[in-house]
Amino acid sequence: MQNKEFFAALDMVEREYKLDKAMLLESLEAGLAAAFKKETGENRAVAVKLNPENATIKFYAYYVVVEGEPSADYELSLEEAREIKEDAEIGEYIGEDVVVNDLSRIAAQTAKQVIMQRINEAKREQAKSEMNEKEGELMQAIVRRIDGGVVYVEIVGTQMEGVMAQSDQIFGEKLNVNDKIKVYVKRVRDTSKGSQVVVSRSCAGFVKKLFEIEVPELRSNLVKVKNIVREAGYRTKMAVYSEDPNLDAIGSCIGAKGVRVNAIVAELNGEKVDVIPYSSDPGEYIARALSPARVLMVQLNETEKHAKVVVPDEKLSLAIGKSGQNARLAARLTGYKIDVKPYSAVMAEDDGESTEE
């Protein structure tokens, strides 16, 4: 039966939604066969063959060849089968063309159902593929619901849902439904309800991407990030450098009058951000990592990756930070275990050693 409009519509759907044509045809053939059996009550196995080249749709119903007398209307005896096909064997299926009088209605209903299912699947797969490519990037999102402390967002421009666990949220940040926020795409995972994007605002990568947005030199790789560590809601430390001696890596990240770093601090709701010049000298790097505290001396044990750092007495609390946060972040940034000592304690230790001698 000719049906040029049917195949023209398939071509349009294939192009518009970028569906795999072979898969679409296979789905339609199965759907049409099932629809035909349901509509007609046909007991025989039914197959449908769609031929886009000459715009034909053919239905085939199959008998199974059985030994002895047939017991069902979809069975043929071996003698009957060999009248149709001389070399027919028991267990073989023999098909015949079936004339369908109401093909257009069956085809239209089934095609619509199958095509919509395939379109939705294709959209989901396309969105998933796009989100996999966006892993490690920032995306705009809208808060859609908050359940048990977990924030669910709609990733703008996609059909994907993003989920942000409490550990991926900035400590102290209050989010409300319909808030527009930036999120960092960590990964895409499959769940029983479909694909889901795991997003974060607490990871160090989130801050790094914010800097890349604000600092052209980072985007162009003229300034590079050696390492970045963070305790979300409190402090971030980022070490940067440039292979161009004429380029000020710190100045590029801070911006004129602090405009660039201040934009990032505003996005982070006032979180402290230390931008530190990286040094290949471990002692110097550690001293810089303890910013904003001033360091008097660094004693290194490179074998054990341990550093003893001496600071002025009045800078001890600044160097260590609240609950040890500044020293802890400096240790993570540099890869050294850091033991911070006040100058007076070191002098007392030295005096004690001198007295013993």
Side-chain angles (χ1 to χ4, degrees):
M1 180 177 285
Q2 297 289 331
N3 201 326
K4 292 183 179 180
E5 291 183 2
F6 179 83
F7 286 98
L10 287 186
D11 289 338
M12 182 185 70
V13 169
E14 178 196 2
R15 290 192 302 270
E16 185 173 349
Y17 294 99
K18 299 179 181 177
L19 298 175
D20 181 271
K21 191 167 186 175
M23 185 182 295
L24 182 59
L25 288 172
E26 182 181 338
S27 299
L28 281 168
E29 287 171 350
L32 285 169
F36 172 76
K37 289 194 70 172
K38 182 179 179 180
E39 185 76 15
T40 62
E42 175 65 66
N43 289 325
R44 291 176 292 176
V46 174
V48 178
K49 181 63 178 177
L50 301 178
N51 191 327
E53 293 181 3
N54 54 21
T56 58
I57 304 175
K58 290 188 176 182
F59 284 69
Y60 300 93
Y62 291 85
Y63 292 100
V64 61
V65 181
V66 296
E67 187 175 3
E69 288 297 317
S71 59
D73 55 10
Y74 56 84
E75 295 178 343
L76 283 179
S77 67
L78 185 58
E79 293 75 12
E80 291 172 323
R82 286 182 173 172
E83 290 177 5
I84 302 170
K85 184 183 177 185
E86 291 183 0
D87 57 350
E89 298 291 340
I90 292 173
E92 185 177 350
Y93 285 87
I94 295 179
E96 67 172 355
D97 288 355
V98 178
V99 177
V100 181
N101 296 320
D102 198 13
L103 175 63
S104 59
R105 181 171 64 84
I106 297 174
Q109 290 176 344
T110 305
K112 180 179 179 181
Q113 183 179 4
V114 171
I115 288 172
M116 290 308 301
Q117 180 182 352
R118 284 298 177 184
I119 287 173
N120 290 333
E121 289 175 358
K123 283 182 176 179
R124 286 193 294 269
E125 285 301 315
Q126 188 174 7
K128 181 181 177 181
S129 177
E130 289 174 357
M131 289 310 303
N132 277 323
E133 292 176 3
K134 294 292 184 181
E135 188 173 309
E137 298 292 333
L138 287 191
M139 299 285 289
Q140 293 288 341
I142 302 172
V143 177
R144 289 307 186 200
R145 61 190 175 96
I146 302 173
D147 185 6
V150 178
V151 178
Y152 296 88
V153 301
E154 173 191 339
I155 309 295
V156 174
T158 76
Q159 289 187 319
M160 300 295 286
E161 177 186 66
V163 58
M164 185 162 55
Q166 286 182 304
S167 59
D168 281 310
Q169 298 168 36
I170 298 175
F171 180 80
E173 182 176 55
K174 301 298 181 183
L175 296 175
N176 299 299
V177 173
N178 293 327
D179 281 354
K180 294 181 180 179
I181 59 174
K182 293 185 181 74
V183 295
Y184 179 86
V185 178
K186 293 177 74 173
R187 66 184 185 279
V188 179
R189 67 184 182 191
D190 292 319
T191 71
S192 58
K193 296 181 180 179
S195 297
Q196 200 173 53
V197 187
V198 179
V199 299
S200 177
R201 283 176 60 82
S202 69
C203 63
F206 178 72
V207 180
K208 182 181 178 183
K209 287 298 175 180
L210 288 176
F211 268 101
E212 289 179 4
I213 291 172
E214 294 292 334
V215 182
E217 293 87 346
L218 275 173
R219 291 197 302 274
S220 62
N221 218 30
L222 292 173
V223 172
K224 300 178 181 180
V225 175
K226 180 63 178 180
N227 196 12
I228 181 169
V229 294
R230 183 185 185 203
E231 290 191 6
Y234 298 102
R235 192 175 218 107
T236 292
K237 286 183 181 287
M238 183 173 75
V240 297
Y241 68 100
S242 175
E243 294 171 352
D244 183 349
N246 298 315
L247 183 61
D248 180 3
I250 298 298
S252 297
C253 294
I254 300 298
K257 298 182 180 180
V259 63
R260 290 176 176 175
V261 73
N262 287 341
I264 292 164
V265 170
E267 176 69 30
L268 300 176
N269 300 313
E271 180 177 318
K272 294 180 175 63
V273 177
D274 300 330
V275 184
I276 299 157
Y278 169 71
S279 174
S280 57
D281 180 330
E284 187 176 359
Y285 186 27
I286 290 167
R288 293 173 178 178
L290 284 166
S291 170
R294 181 168 61 90
V295 172
L296 298 177
M297 182 179 66
V298 178
Q299 294 179 334
L300 292 175
N301 183 328
E302 295 194 37
T303 302
E304 298 181 1
K305 288 284 184 178
H306 181 272
K308 179 179 177 181
V309 178
V310 180
V311 298
D313 287 34
E314 68 276 11
K315 299 296 182 182
L316 179 63
S317 61
L318 186 63
I320 294 174
K322 186 177 180 181
S323 302
Q325 181 190 86
N326 195 57
R328 186 165 57 249
L329 284 172
R332 287 169 54 195
L333 189 74
T334 61
Y336 275 76
K337 183 179 178 181
I338 298 175
D339 185 14
V340 182
K341 297 284 188 181
Y343 179 73
S344 60
V346 174
M347 291 301 295
E349 288 175 4
D350 289 346
D351 289 343
E353 290 176 2
S354 297
T355 302
E356 289 177 6
E357 291 176 2

